Amino acid sequence: MATFLYKLGRLSFRRRHLVALIWVALLTLAGVGAASAPAAGNSSFSIPGTEAQKAFDLLEQRFPGTSADGATARVVFKAPSGEKMTDPGNKATVQDTVKELSDGSEVVRVTDPYRAKAVSKDGTIAYAQVSYKVSGMELDDAAKDALKDSAEHARKAGLTVEIGGDALQAVPHTGSSEVIGIAVAAVVLVITFGSLVAAGLPLLTALIGVGIGVSAITGLASALDLGSTTSTLAMMIGLAVGIDYALFIVSRYRAELAEGREREEAAGRAVGTAGSAVVFAGLTVVIALVGLSVVNIPMLTKMGIAAAGTVAIAVLIALTMIPALLGYAGRKVKPMGEKSKLRGRAKKPDEPGEQGKQAKPNLGTRWASFVVRRPLAVLLLGVIGLGAAAVPATSLELGLPDDGSQPTSTTQRRAYDLLSEGFGPGFNGPLMVVVDAKDSDDPKAVFTETGDEIKGLKDVVSVTPAQPNKAGDTATITVIPGSQPSSVTTENLVHGIRDAGADIKADTDANVLVTGSTAMNIDVSEKLNDALVPYLVLVVGLAFLLLIVVFRSILVPLKAALGFLLSVMAALGAVVAVFQWGWLSGLMGVEQTGPVMSMMPIFMVGVVFGLAMDYEVFLVTRMREAYVHGEKPAQAVVTGFRHGARVVTAAAVIMMAVFAGFIGSSESMVKMIGFGLAIAVFFDAFIVRMAIVPAVLALLGRKAWWLPKWLDRALPNVDVEGEGLRAASGDDDGDRELVRV
């Protein structure tokens, strides 16, 4: 592989005009496609195989004309202090509002609070429910404006009016913090390279790659039913890996220049060596993201594949456009250690310092030497520290965000609070029970029996009479729990209804299904929990095999996988502490604590595993490179840190900055993922890879690189270290000390 990538790097350097033209053309094509594509609607959320999804599908069949995924709005009214909603003036205002709301062309129906008995017991709060033909993201701006105007007219009449539901759903924004993340990445690159030109190359190529990826996602969003979160996460991951992959190749290029090679040759060798690590690092990320499809949640699958496509683009750009841009930059990208305008001249490793002494070892060398001398103490300290950070994960509660997780400044959150105040905490999470009595002899009796059974269960506040369809073979029953939607008590109620439904089916052959957003959340959590172990086995297993090929070792990939588990558990503990317990919630902009998003654990496992393997590949390949060239195991660890620690540190800081930039998002899911990935990169890069990995390798010694002879013969030789390039050029690495990176 190194030889092929070496040729590709030289070709891209020579044919830089053609390479640049191709990538600019692709960016233009993707941009035009995104601009001309129809606007994407709200991505449909389906969970195949779950009871809640089966009930939704049944509703579409038995209740034609109803839109199960259509937008809804709850217009909540509160009377002024000392008044009631049943007072003649307030009642007239509400009825005028209901009439005004009914005039919209996309409105299916509007319930009158007084006819639907949607007035609280104390008479101070009432609500009207508006149902639309299309989803919240597809709703016309005119319909949203009409909804807001109707509420404003009622406010002018003296009522407090708030609007809940998904009708006012907006595309999430990330805010200025995303730009700050990119700015931090730029500063780190300038400090690392000491050159504005060299620092600009990774940023430029990463932005081009993300531009192509996100534009392609936008262009295909309508056709493939991709939600807005898909492009946001693709941008988040694409920026991070795009900058990092380019950073490693530019760093290796400068090191090759410092060894005295011509620029085209240096570009070829940088792509042949660091580029090989980029390919395998990118493969681990792609495997982890595409592997999300085993969960069988379409939205999660699409998110994973879209992000994986952006990572693949980042790899291709790093391998081709970086050497092309290095050709354009010419002498503006200086060899490692050469004087730059931004900082003084750094001494080369073999350059004598004062009084004939060798140059002072860099920080990476000093740290690695310390770890090699005290491996057991460093290992124990790292494991205990991560274990302590993981403790909160033992109280992890899963759920999906609703209006209760919105900031208190939003009308959706205020409507949620008013409904809880007037009708109880369970009112915001009603359960819809669908009774399929098609095979029953007496459907009406089954509907009545089902309602009576549900009324006898704990934590049930109210049960509406069954509403049958025109055929009379299927009915819906709305159940209001006594507890809030995300509580364990409500989850137990859902299981209680399903258990009662099993008994009814045995007696009457009627199917009783529970659905609604609350039931769907419960089913999602259970499905994700069930899929977590198979997903781990698949992704970690494939990556383990891939790393065996890269490192030609059994214990090194095993150590990499175990270290990943430590970092991801610690990151989950941090997420629980902030978003569930409320620690530092003000600093993170978390206004409402609650359950962790159901998809968070498995999504974090997928993404963090791929990113963790990035640092493993980049750092440990340098160690193996030194080891196969004759250094002792402990010295190989120090050599690997001397060459790679500084760049890996810069890469980790950049990735953390990019992820942390998304903490400012208005969408709680993106905010949580941004924080989770940022803290996971910190744990993995600075504790696992920088402390635990060298400690374990020092303890294992030569055993770390052991591989059975039969397996050694069977494995393909991918030559990540670029040994073939050295042999072809006649380099004698025994007399050459590699330049510090």
Side-chain angles (χ1 to χ4, degrees):
M1 175 177 286
T3 302
F4 168 76
L5 294 178
Y6 165 77
K7 294 178 180 178
L8 178 64
R10 295 196 62 170
L11 179 65
S12 299
F13 188 95
R14 287 198 308 272
R15 306 292 185 187
R16 47 188 173 272
H17 301 311
L18 177 61
V19 172
L21 181 63
I22 290 173
W23 283 112
V24 171
L26 288 174
L27 178 61
T28 303
L29 183 64
V32 170
S36 59
N42 190 30
S43 180
S44 59
F45 188 82
S46 61
I47 314 293
T50 61
E51 180 173 316
Q53 187 63 47
K54 290 176 183 176
F56 268 126
D57 296 340
L58 184 65
L59 284 173
E60 291 183 356
Q61 295 174 11
R62 304 288 174 84
F63 292 82
T66 62
S67 180
D69 59 350
T72 59
R74 278 181 171 176
V75 183
V76 188
F77 306 90
K78 184 175 182 179
S81 179
E83 299 182 17
K84 294 185 180 296
M85 292 305 304
T86 51
D87 293 345
N90 294 334
K91 186 174 182 179
T93 299
V94 171
Q95 289 177 330
D96 288 343
T97 304
V98 169
K99 184 178 179 181
E100 188 177 349
L101 289 169
S102 303
D103 293 337
S105 60
E106 293 182 322
V107 175
V108 176
R109 64 181 176 274
V110 181
T111 61
D112 186 319
Y114 303 100
R115 293 181 181 178
K117 298 180 180 179
V119 181
S120 62
K121 289 182 179 180
D122 63 3
T124 60
I125 296 174
Y127 73 92
Q129 182 153 314
V130 187
S131 300
Y132 293 89
K133 298 176 182 177
V134 297
S135 66
M137 294 295 288
E138 295 170 318
L139 203 60
D140 288 342
D141 289 339
K144 294 182 179 181
D145 291 339
L147 178 61
K148 294 176 184 177
D149 291 342
S150 299
E152 188 59 35
H153 294 160
R155 289 191 188 103
K156 289 180 179 178
L159 298 178
T160 298
V161 186
E162 303 296 347
I163 304 171
D166 60 353
L168 296 182
Q169 184 176 6
V171 177
H173 61 273
T174 55
S176 60
S177 54
E178 178 189 350
V179 178
I180 295 173
I182 296 176
V184 171
V187 172
V188 173
L189 287 169
V190 171
I191 294 173
T192 302
F193 291 136
S195 164
L196 290 174
V197 174
L201 296 182
L203 277 177
L204 175 62
T205 54
L207 290 173
I208 291 174
V210 167
I212 294 173
V214 172
S215 297
I217 291 170
T218 304
L220 297 172
S222 179
L224 300 182
D225 190 25
L226 304 177
S228 57
T229 306
T230 303
S231 59
T232 304
L233 295 176
M235 180 190 303
M236 182 190 303
I237 296 170
L239 271 176
V241 300
I243 294 173
D244 279 5
Y245 294 166
L247 167 65
F248 282 105
I249 291 179
V250 173
S251 298
R252 190 61 182 252
Y253 170 76
R254 298 178 69 224
E256 296 292 339
L257 288 179
E259 291 191 1
R261 294 190 172 90
E262 295 295 328
R263 294 187 177 273
E264 182 179 329
E265 176 70 11
R269 285 179 174 263
V271 175
T273 52
S276 297
V278 165
V279 169
F280 282 100
L283 274 176
T284 59
V285 179
V286 169
I287 287 172
L289 291 171
V290 174
L292 291 170
S293 58
V294 304
V295 182
N296 196 27
I297 295 179
M299 187 181 79
L300 193 60
T301 300
K302 293 171 186 176
M303 287 165 57
I305 292 176
T310 308
V311 172
I313 293 172
V315 172
L316 292 174
I317 283 187
L319 298 178
T320 57
M321 196 169 186
I322 282 293
L325 293 179
L326 289 172
Y328 283 119
R331 297 186 179 277
K332 293 180 180 178
V333 177
K334 301 183 182 299
M336 188 68 65
E338 187 171 309
K339 183 178 180 180
S340 71
K341 295 180 180 180
L342 296 181
R343 65 186 183 196
R345 183 172 180 263
K347 296 178 181 178
K348 299 179 182 180
D350 56 351
E351 180 181 326
E354 296 179 6
Q355 299 177 358
K357 296 180 181 179
Q358 287 295 106
K360 186 179 180 180
N362 64 13
L363 182 60
T365 302
R366 296 197 300 273
W367 169 250
S369 299
F370 169 78
V371 174
V372 168
R373 290 195 305 270
R374 302 284 189 274
L376 189 58
V378 172
L379 176 61
L380 290 176
L381 187 61
V383 171
I384 291 172
L386 290 178
V391 169
T394 58
S395 62
L396 174 68
E397 296 178 9
L398 299 177
L400 288 179
D402 56 16
D403 285 348
S405 62
Q406 296 271 7
T408 53
S409 59
T410 63
T411 185
Q412 292 96 328
R413 171 61 188 279
R414 291 196 293 265
Y416 181 97
D417 292 340
L418 283 176
L419 288 171
S420 296
E421 176 188 340
F423 301 93
F427 192 80
N428 284 293
L431 305 175
M432 179 179 287
V433 179
V434 183
V435 185
D436 178 9
K438 189 174 184 179
D439 297 329
S440 178
D441 296 332
D442 190 354
K444 289 184 179 180
V446 172
F447 301 154
T448 303
E449 180 185 350
T450 303
D452 292 341
E453 285 285 338
I454 295 173
K455 288 177 183 177
L457 298 175
K458 291 179 60 177
D459 200 50
V460 173
V461 172
S462 65
V463 178
T464 64
Q467 301 292 323
N469 61 350
K470 290 182 180 180
D473 59 4
T474 307
T476 60
I477 300 172
T478 301
V479 181
I480 304 299
S483 304
Q484 61 183 8
S486 58
S487 68
V488 176
T489 307
T490 303
E491 181 178 348
N492 293 335
L493 175 59
V494 170
H495 289 301
I497 297 174
R498 288 172 175 172
D499 291 340
D503 296 335
I504 293 173
K505 179 175 176 59
D507 296 336
T508 65
D509 290 329
N511 288 317
V512 178
L513 306 173
V514 185
T515 188
S517 60
T518 302
M520 183 69 82
N521 289 356
I522 293 169
D523 288 351
V524 168
S525 298
E526 292 178 352
K527 190 177 182 69
L528 289 168
N529 287 337
D530 293 342
L532 185 57
V533 173
Y535 174 70
L536 275 172
V537 171
L538 173 68
V539 173
V540 176
L542 288 175
F544 181 77
L545 295 175
L546 186 65
L547 292 178
I548 288 178
V549 174
V550 174
F551 295 127
R552 308 194 77 80
S553 164
I554 298 292
L555 295 179
V556 170
L558 180 61
K559 172 263 308 169
L562 294 176
F564 150 74
L565 291 176
L566 277 174
S567 58
V568 79
M569 288 303 298
L572 276 176
V575 169
V576 169
V578 173
F579 291 88
Q580 188 175 311
W581 291 359
W583 294 5
L584 302 178
S585 57
L587 181 63
M588 298 298 166
V590 180
E591 295 190 23
Q592 179 66 32
T593 59
V596 172
M597 183 187 65
S598 297
M599 295 183 185
M600 188 67 188
I602 199 162
F603 189 83
M604 181 179 282
V605 165
V607 176
V608 173
F609 181 78
L611 300 179
M613 294 307 103
D614 279 4
Y615 301 118
E616 183 75 14
V617 169
F618 288 127
L619 192 60
V620 181
T621 47
R622 279 288 194 157
M623 298 178 189
R624 175 168 173 77
E625 188 175 340
Y627 177 74
V628 298
H629 292 156
E631 292 189 8
K632 294 181 178 180
Q635 183 57 39
V637 171
V638 176
T639 300
F641 267 76
R642 182 170 75 246
H643 297 327
R646 179 180 175 186
V647 178
V648 168
T649 299
V653 172
I654 288 170
M655 196 169 282
M656 288 168 56
V658 172
F659 288 150
F662 288 84
I663 296 175
S665 173
S666 62
E667 186 162 318
S668 58
M669 182 171 73
V670 175
K671 180 190 293 287
M672 190 180 295
I673 289 177
F675 171 79
L677 294 183
I679 197 69
V681 168
F682 171 78
F683 287 146
D684 196 86
F686 294 106
I687 299 180
V688 174
R689 308 303 153 188
M690 290 290 183
I692 293 178
V693 165
V696 171
L697 290 177
L699 289 171
L700 291 175
R702 295 186 182 276
K703 295 177 182 178
W705 308 105
W706 171 80
L707 187 69
K709 291 183 179 180
W710 63 269
L711 185 57
D712 187 39
R713 292 191 297 268
L715 291 176
N717 183 15
V718 295
D719 189 22
V720 176
E721 299 86 12
E723 187 63 29
L725 300 180
R726 295 181 177 86
S729 63
D731 283 353
D732 182 9
D733 287 320
D735 296 329
R736 182 194 300 273
E737 183 179 8
L738 297 178
V739 173
R740 179 183 59 191
V741 177

